[in-house]
């Protein structure tokens, strides 16, 4: 029992969440927004650079600089980091980081006198990282599926059909377009394993939760699949570390953080996992049944399941749960918060006015519908931006606001069917889950209560809980996952949003029309 730190390196920010497992409370929660601090230095917007043709990258050196700023902020606030017994972490999924042969020595010899940024600038064989928003690899997806013996073969082997954002297709594209830089790459990691490597001061492998988002991991054995690696790029096994079991500490924290921020020498580091797998833990989904909704930069709907269920149509993804035994089924949308912001900004509103518009307009929007593909969409697969308005006048700001939220909620209902789960409640997280009027639409579309939690940073909370669980196992105590998550996964009393029968009936009638409109304008 003690203090545990969770770090979530996400698309737009990096967050630290500190828990006291004895007092069963969150004692610190701090975020560094990338645009606020680094937009000029790195030329990013919303945490990323868009390079046309669906290419979306970010800057791994910026993530390191942001990590320093985050820890400095915690230290300046007076948090006693020497009491942290273990650190767990989470990263935006699928993004790949490419390191050269200098990385190992640089990580091992970090001086607490100089910031990470100055000491890591030379370790990259590729200075940018393609991230989950990148949709530029349709060709590579097709090639990988053929390479392993077809789409069904890849699905059976890895649990997933090929997705543009997944790491394997991104690595293949890098090998094809920059073969020299690929040859100079000594190690390929994911966002999660890269941040873990910075903290451990040595290269740390990818965990099964994030490994399952690569199209390269055998979902049954939770190890890299040589067949999938061969279909992806040459010599790839040499550039990857073995998969690191999610619950086993990889060693103590690097002396850099001891000297610079006052962590204890013996503070342990757990392998990091993906943000969605960590949210699964942070929301307490350690047994099959409950379903959660994350409204972050991406919107995701996910559930804990006990048997690997796959999505043949390519609507859903299957990941290993970092609890070591279960799986998670997930549907991911690219047009989440940034699409909501596109509408908010189109009508020059703030979130208060946006929320008022939802209060002023009726469920069903008088028949006005929108397909909100401001950017290419993952589900359904929409390769280029395409915003469709049906019975909807673009000049009517309030109706457009209701239309986008209803579209997102209706789509989450349509594309959750593959999971074959009866959704009887939704646990919510992510920045937009602070907005009760958005959640009301989801409660009515899914006809179930929506539960809210103390933190909207469930990925960082899940990372801290993973640290607590992993550390306690090293002390010989046989703590269960249920015991670990329970004190932190109670919904806020009185905050549940219940479905309203009249609105439920409206959406029951509307969902078919939405699906029809979606089919008409997409190949799905
Ligand atoms: P990520 O972890 O993917 O970087 P977050 O979960 O932190 O993202 O969510 C950030 C997003 O939350 C912002 O881009 C913003 O659009 C959204 N957000 C914050 N407050 C509100 C609000 N009151 N209503 C709707 N969306 C909000
Ligand atoms: C999940 C996905 C996104 C990212 C960013 O498959 O691509 O949810 O993890 O949050």
């Amino acid at each position: 029992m003690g203090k545990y730190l969770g770090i979530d390196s996400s698309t737009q920010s990096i967050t630290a969440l500190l828990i006291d497992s004895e007092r069963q409370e969150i004692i610190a929660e701090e975020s560094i927004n990338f645009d606020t601090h680094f937009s000029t230095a790195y030329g990013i917007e919303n945490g990323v650079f868009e390079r046309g043709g669906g290419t979306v990258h970010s800057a791994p050196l910026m993530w390191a600089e942001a990590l320093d700023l985050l820890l400095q902020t915690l230290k300046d606030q007076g948090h006693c980091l020497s009491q942290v017994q273990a650190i767990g972490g989470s990263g935006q999924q699928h993004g790949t980081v490419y390191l050269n042969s200098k990385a190992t020595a640089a990580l091992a010899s970090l001086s607490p006198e100089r910031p990470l940024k100055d000491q890591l600038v030379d370790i990259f064989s590729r200075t940018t990282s393609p991230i989950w928003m990148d949709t530029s690899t349709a060709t590579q997806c097709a090639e990988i599926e053929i390479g392993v013996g077809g789409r069904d073969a890849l699905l059976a082997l890895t649990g997933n059909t090929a997705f543009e954002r997944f790491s394997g297709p991104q690595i293949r594209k890098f090998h094809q377009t920059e073969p020299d830089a690929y040859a100079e790459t000594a190690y390929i990691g994911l966002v999660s394993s890269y941040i873990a490597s910075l903290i451990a001061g040595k290269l740390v492998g990818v965990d099964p939760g994030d490994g399952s988002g690569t199209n390269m991991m055998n979902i049954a054995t939770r190890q890299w699949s040589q067949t999938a690696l061969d279909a992806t790029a040459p010599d790839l096994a040499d550039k990857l570390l073995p998969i690191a079991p999610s619950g086993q500490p990889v060693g103590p924290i690097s002396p850099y953080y001891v000297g610079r921020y006052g962590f204890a020498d013996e503070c342990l580091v757990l392998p990091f996992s993906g943000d969605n797998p960590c949210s699964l833990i942070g929301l307490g989904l350690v047994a099959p049944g409950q379903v959660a909704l994350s409204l972050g930069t991406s919107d995701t709907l996910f559930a804990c399941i006990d048997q690997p269920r796959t999505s043949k149509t390519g609507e859903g993804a299957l990941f290993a749960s970092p609890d070591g035994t279960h799986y998670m089924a997930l549907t991911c949308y690219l047009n989440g918060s940034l699409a909501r912001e596109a509408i908010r900004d189109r009508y020059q509103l703030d979130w208060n006015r946006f929320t008022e518009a939802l209060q002023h307009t009726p469920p069903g929007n008088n028949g006005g519908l929108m397909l909100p593909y401001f950017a290419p969409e993952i589900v359904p697969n929409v390769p280029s931006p395409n915003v469709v308005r049906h019975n909807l006048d673009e000049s009517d700001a309030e109706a457009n606001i209701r239309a986008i939220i209803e579209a997102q909620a209706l789509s989450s209902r349509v594309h959750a069917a593959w999971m074959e789960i009866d959704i009887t409640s939704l646990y919510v997280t992510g920045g937009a889950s602070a907005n009760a009027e958005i959640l009301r639409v989801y409660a009515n579309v899914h006809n179930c209560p929506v539960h809210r939690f103390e933190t909207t940073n469930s990925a960082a909370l899940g990372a801290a809980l993973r640290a607590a669980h992993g550390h306690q196992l090293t002390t010989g105590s046989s703590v269960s996952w249920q015991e670990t998550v329970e004190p932190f996964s109670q919904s806020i009393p009185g905050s549940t949003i219940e479905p309203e029968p009249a609105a439920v009936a409206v959406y029951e009638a509307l969902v078919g029309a939405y699906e029809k409109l979606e089919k008409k304008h997409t190949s799905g």
Side-chain angles (χ1 to χ4, degrees):
M1 298 290 237
K3 298 200 171 99
Y4 299 98
L5 179 63
I7 294 177
D8 173 36
S9 181
S10 70
T11 316
Q12 300 192 65
S13 58
I14 185 166
T15 298
L17 191 145
L18 191 56
I19 59 169
D20 184 327
S21 67
E22 232 152 290
R23 283 163 47 198
Q24 304 191 333
E25 61 187 30
I26 296 172
I27 50 180
E29 197 170 354
E30 196 58 47
S31 286
I32 300 296
N33 180 277
F34 298 139
D35 283 14
T36 306
H37 296 276
F38 306 114
S39 63
T40 315
Y42 290 90
I44 47 139
E45 192 180 347
N46 300 320
V48 305
F49 339 94
E50 301 223 15
R51 301 194 149 164
T55 301
V56 182
H57 286 207
S58 189
L61 194 60
M62 175 185 78
W63 299 331
E65 195 173 349
L67 173 65
D68 260 339
L69 183 56
L70 180 67
L71 297 177
Q72 187 62 50
T73 307
L74 288 181
K75 186 181 168 194
D76 292 347
Q77 288 171 348
H79 294 292
C80 198
L81 299 177
S82 64
Q83 292 173 10
V84 174
Q85 290 181 292
I87 301 180
S90 147
Q92 52 169 313
Q93 293 191 260
H94 319 299
T96 36
V97 179
Y98 301 80
L99 303 178
N100 61 30
S101 57
K102 295 182 190 156
T104 310
L107 289 171
S109 61
L110 291 171
S111 158
E113 305 302 322
R114 296 163 59 216
L116 288 174
K117 169 181 74 114
D118 293 353
Q119 301 183 70
L120 299 178
V121 68
D122 290 331
I123 70 168
F124 302 98
S125 58
R126 188 184 202 184
T127 54
T128 65
S129 289
I131 64 144
W132 68 275
M133 298 169 86
D134 190 297
T135 55
S136 68
T137 61
T139 307
Q140 289 76 15
C141 286
E143 290 168 352
I144 289 172
E145 288 186 344
I146 292 167
V148 299
R151 189 180 166 95
D152 290 351
L154 185 68
L155 186 65
L157 183 63
T158 67
N160 289 291
T161 53
F163 283 105
E164 283 88 342
R165 71 189 189 286
F166 274 34
S167 319
Q170 293 293 340
I171 293 169
R172 183 171 178 79
K173 181 181 166 196
F174 180 53
H175 154 66
Q176 290 174 339
T177 55
E178 297 179 57
D180 294 345
Y182 178 80
E184 272 173 35
T185 301
Y187 172 69
I188 302 175
L190 304 192
V191 179
S192 56
S193 65
Y194 164 69
I195 305 290
S197 304
L198 299 188
I199 293 182
K202 64 177 185 183
L203 294 176
V204 173
V206 169
D207 92 312
D210 231 6
S212 26
T214 62
N215 283 138
M216 304 192 299
M217 191 187 85
N218 181 322
I219 191 71
T221 62
R222 301 191 177 199
Q223 301 297 328
W224 298 122
S225 153
Q226 191 56 51
T227 309
L229 299 185
D230 289 343
T232 302
D235 307 321
L236 192 45
D238 301 341
K239 300 181 197 290
L240 300 170
L241 291 185
I243 298 273
S246 312
Q248 282 176 22
V250 295
I253 194 166
S254 152
Y256 173 84
Y257 305 89
V258 177
R260 198 171 172 93
Y261 301 114
F263 283 91
D265 289 312
E266 60 275 12
C267 172
L268 290 176
V269 181
L270 273 286
F272 281 28
S273 190
D275 54 359
N276 292 292
C278 285
S279 280
L280 193 73
I281 307 291
L283 289 166
L285 275 59
V286 293
Q290 297 293 0
V291 182
L293 174 72
S294 172
L295 302 175
T297 310
S298 62
D299 285 353
T300 57
L301 187 94
F302 55 84
C304 177
I305 53 176
D306 54 1
Q307 294 302 321
R309 186 173 304 120
T310 57
S311 161
K312 211 173 168 151
T313 53
E315 283 169 290
L318 177 73
F319 302 138
S321 167
D323 73 8
T325 42
H326 295 104
Y327 297 86
M328 77 184 287
L330 172 140
T331 300
C332 178
Y333 299 94
L334 203 155
N335 287 283
S337 280
L338 298 182
R340 288 184 284 274
E341 287 178 21
I343 284 284
R344 182 198 63 183
D345 298 344
R346 157 79 181 76
Y347 300 104
Q348 298 173 324
L349 303 176
D350 57 17
W351 286 127
N352 284 339
R353 283 285 299 113
F354 186 99
T355 308
E356 279 166 27
L358 290 172
Q359 288 161 339
H360 294 159
T361 46
N365 211 16
N366 302 314
L369 287 173
M370 177 188 286
L371 298 178
Y373 311 134
F374 288 85
E377 185 50 84
I378 298 165
V379 182
N381 188 276
V382 178
S384 317
N386 183 21
V387 177
V388 177
R389 290 179 172 82
H390 175 78
N391 292 336
L392 184 65
D393 184 345
E394 195 180 345
S395 66
D396 185 343
E398 294 202 329
N400 276 263
I401 288 167
R402 177 159 282 279
I404 186 169
I405 300 301
E406 291 189 339
Q408 291 174 326
L410 288 164
S411 181
S412 79
R413 176 168 155 174
V414 170
H415 297 290
W418 73 271
M419 296 182 192
E420 295 177 21
I421 293 174
D422 187 18
I423 302 181
T424 54
S425 68
L426 280 174
Y427 289 20
V428 286
T429 184
S433 71
N435 191 319
E437 288 308 314
I438 294 179
L439 300 183
R440 194 177 311 287
V441 177
Y442 280 87
N444 289 330
V445 165
H446 285 276
N447 188 15
C448 71
V450 171
H451 301 290
R452 296 195 276 168
F453 298 87
E454 181 189 347
T455 177
T456 56
N457 290 312
S458 65
L461 173 60
L465 292 171
R466 289 184 48 234
H469 188 260
H471 174 255
Q472 283 165 32
L473 291 185
T474 64
T475 64
S477 52
S478 62
V479 62
S480 72
W481 272 112
Q482 198 57 47
E483 287 167 297
T484 306
V485 300
E486 202 168 294
F488 292 91
S489 54
Q490 304 300 321
S491 59
I492 303 170
S495 73
T496 296
I497 297 173
E498 298 289 345
E500 300 150 331
V504 169
V506 169
Y507 292 125
E508 206 51 59
L510 196 62
V511 66
Y514 180 81
E515 205 169 356
K516 213 166 135 197
L517 184 71
E518 188 188 279
K519 283 218 166 77
K520 185 174 160 198
H521 291 275
T522 66
S523 52

